[in-house]
Amino acid sequence: MSTDAMNDPMHEVLRHWQAAFDGHRTDAMADLFTPDALFQGFGPETVSGRDAVRGYYEAVPHYRRAHLGDVRGYRIGDHVAGGFADVTFRDPTGWAAPVHLSLVLQHEGGRWRIRQYHVSRIATDH
């Protein structure tokens, strides 16, 4: 990984997010979000807050993994950043869901946290 990628908030947050997701560590996952985060996952509803995020990830099967692809980030000043990532969620049954993930990040308490999370599933020809 390049030095630029190591200093990019998107790469930093997504490294922690992937480790927490793959380890099914829902408290660690929720802590990656701001207290008032907006979250749009695979479900039809947008939810808000760490408790809702924790609940969402508690419902994800423990054997599911996230595979990161291309990550692109940007910064707006010292306290706001965002970007996009290609992620494929997979599990041992052969299930796979490629998505575009968009994040808005906020720097607070000495670290970057996710303020807005949005998944857009990529249609595949099957």
Side-chain angles (χ1 to χ4, degrees):
M1 188 174 294
S2 72
T3 303
D4 289 340
M6 293 298 289
N7 295 323
D8 174 41
M10 277 291 290
H11 284 87
E12 174 188 336
V13 167
L14 285 172
R15 274 195 314 274
H16 294 290
W17 175 86
Q18 183 180 26
F21 184 91
D22 288 354
H24 201 67
R25 296 189 334 264
T26 56
D27 288 336
M29 183 67 75
D31 190 50
L32 293 171
F33 290 79
T34 62
D36 60 347
L38 292 176
F39 182 95
Q40 175 67 59
F42 280 95
E45 297 178 6
T46 299
V47 298
S48 181
R50 286 184 181 146
D51 288 341
V53 169
R54 182 182 298 103
Y56 179 89
Y57 285 115
E58 285 172 349
V60 173
H62 67 88
Y63 49 80
R64 192 156 292 161
R65 300 293 179 264
H67 300 269
L68 290 174
D70 190 32
V71 177
R72 296 182 183 263
Y74 62 87
R75 287 184 71 160
I76 303 173
D78 294 333
H79 300 286
V80 178
F84 300 92
D86 292 327
V87 179
T88 301
F89 295 100
R90 293 189 177 114
D91 68 33
T93 68
W95 178 88
V99 303
H100 294 301
L101 177 64
S102 67
L103 303 178
V104 175
L105 309 174
Q106 180 176 333
H107 195 261
E108 66 172 35
R111 63 184 276 207
W112 289 97
R113 286 197 164 86
I114 302 167
R115 181 163 182 98
Q116 184 173 310
Y117 175 106
H118 182 262
V119 166
S120 178
R121 193 156 183 179
I122 300 169
T124 57
D125 296 331
H126 286 262

